[in-house]
Amino acid sequence: DIRNQPDPTACWLEEKLYSLVANLLTKEKKLLEVQSTLPALKTSTRSEILKRLLLVTDYIHEHLKENLSLEQLASVGCLSKFHFLRLFKVAFEKTPNQYVNELRMKKGEALIRETRLDIHEIALSLGYANPSSFSRSFFNHRGVYPTQFRQAAV
């Protein structure tokens, strides 16, 4: 009888919800691990530092195409430049500059693979002053130039 059959859409949604919850729990566990590595005596202080650093990463994601300075990012986190740099490296195991560059490269790869935008347009949308800077960074990151990457992805 069809009435006794489970709804495939409901099953699919339940699987997606389970996957989302599992992913969130994994991320939460990772954040707690990061928080425990931060150099502070009190748990509440470590929690506040992590919250500030996550505000900075959100800011980076939102302003990726802008020229982001260390002073600007430290200000977003309400931390001194030196303290911010040290804490960011401890929390994310890379400098803010490395974090920004990796994020730009990931976004650049996706744009090259998923769109037909010019390499020039992609470079400008990611905050590079010119396409050659983007191409050089892309080559250093991937070992191929953006045009070669696009040809291989087709």
Side-chain angles (χ1 to χ4, degrees):
D1 187 10
I2 288 184
R3 291 179 298 211
N4 294 333
Q5 296 288 328
D7 179 10
T9 305
C11 290
W12 180 83
L13 284 173
E14 195 171 317
E15 285 178 19
K16 292 298 178 186
L17 180 60
Y18 176 79
S19 176
L20 178 64
V21 169
N23 195 2
L24 287 172
L25 289 173
T26 302
K27 297 283 185 188
E28 181 67 18
K29 183 180 177 194
K30 175 70 174 148
L31 286 175
L32 289 173
E33 290 171 4
V34 168
Q35 181 177 316
S36 71
T37 65
L38 295 172
L41 295 176
K42 293 182 180 178
T43 302
S44 60
T45 304
R46 285 195 298 268
S47 178
E48 179 61 28
I49 290 169
L50 181 60
K51 192 182 308 180
R52 291 179 186 200
L53 293 174
L54 291 174
L55 276 172
V56 174
T57 60
D58 287 347
Y59 183 86
I60 290 170
H61 283 266
E62 291 173 19
H63 297 90
L64 192 59
K65 71 180 199 172
E66 298 173 17
N67 185 16
L68 301 169
S69 70
L70 188 60
E71 294 83 10
Q72 182 182 13
L73 297 177
S75 174
V76 168
C78 298
L79 296 162
S80 73
K81 192 168 60 170
F82 171 76
H83 201 55
F84 166 70
L85 181 58
R86 188 172 58 86
L87 291 171
F88 196 96
K89 282 174 75 171
V90 168
F92 301 109
E93 299 175 344
K94 57 188 80 166
T95 66
N97 188 48
Q98 290 168 329
Y99 184 88
V100 168
N101 286 338
E102 284 181 22
L103 199 55
R104 285 179 174 160
M105 287 299 106
K106 284 180 185 175
K107 186 157 180 145
E109 286 177 23
L111 289 171
I112 291 168
R113 206 177 16 259
E114 299 164 8
T115 71
R116 298 305 318 155
L117 291 172
D118 270 14
I119 301 303
H120 177 79
E121 291 173 292
I122 292 172
L124 295 178
S125 76
L126 294 173
Y128 287 91
N130 57 58
S132 61
S133 297
F134 171 65
S135 290
R136 201 169 29 259
S137 289
F138 195 91
F139 182 83
N140 290 337
H141 179 73
R142 294 286 296 170
V144 294
Y145 289 103
T147 50
Q148 295 168 322
F149 183 79
R150 176 170 275 163
Q151 290 167 350
V154 173

